[in-house]
Amino acid sequence: MAKLSLFEKRRQRVRSKLRAQVAGRPRLSVHRTGRHIYAQVIDDSKGVTVASASTNDKAVKTKNGSTSAAAAEVGKRVAEAAKKAGVTSVVFDRGGFLFHGRVKALA
């Protein structure tokens, strides 16, 4: 199997397990690339993004790109933005990525 199709299978498995836990809570979705990390708080019932942050934001941008320290800063910023929007708890969606390194630092 191709690497991408294995990733998609893992992503769908994670997402299906989250649907059972959601119970009206928004989802904190994480996407990681080689250079950046992105986080969004998504309300699936309304289909809207409540808050977002990434290493592309001017306040977070660093010379080295996305490091664990930058990912932790993105996590703090998305949490602050979600609190301002009135979100108190979320379900963490790692999106097929291993809960390790930058994804763990963001969480």
Side-chain angles (χ1 to χ4, degrees):
M1 284 191 122
K3 193 173 193 177
L4 185 61
S5 65
L6 290 174
F7 176 79
E8 286 299 322
K9 281 179 69 172
R10 192 166 52 245
R11 183 177 183 189
Q12 289 303 321
R13 186 170 57 240
V14 168
R15 186 86 39 94
S16 68
K17 288 179 184 178
L18 288 180
R19 281 195 193 107
Q21 298 175 359
V22 171
R25 290 189 294 173
R27 174 170 54 99
L28 174 60
S29 177
V30 175
H31 181 72
R32 180 179 59 85
T33 65
R35 291 187 179 201
H36 298 286
I37 192 160
Y38 307 88
Q40 297 182 62
V41 177
I42 303 167
D43 187 354
D44 288 320
S45 62
K46 296 176 186 171
V48 295
T49 299
V50 178
S52 67
S54 74
T55 52
N56 270 340
D57 297 344
K58 287 185 179 181
V60 182
K61 212 166 215 178
T62 62
K63 279 185 182 179
N64 302 358
S66 182
T67 60
S68 290
E73 183 64 28
V74 168
K76 288 177 190 173
R77 290 191 179 274
V78 77
E80 290 169 2
K83 280 185 182 178
K84 285 181 185 175
V87 176
T88 56
S89 67
V90 295
V91 175
F92 189 76
D93 177 10
R94 59 186 176 88
F97 300 103
L98 294 177
F99 190 76
H100 182 267
R102 291 184 287 159
V103 175
K104 188 174 181 179
L106 187 140

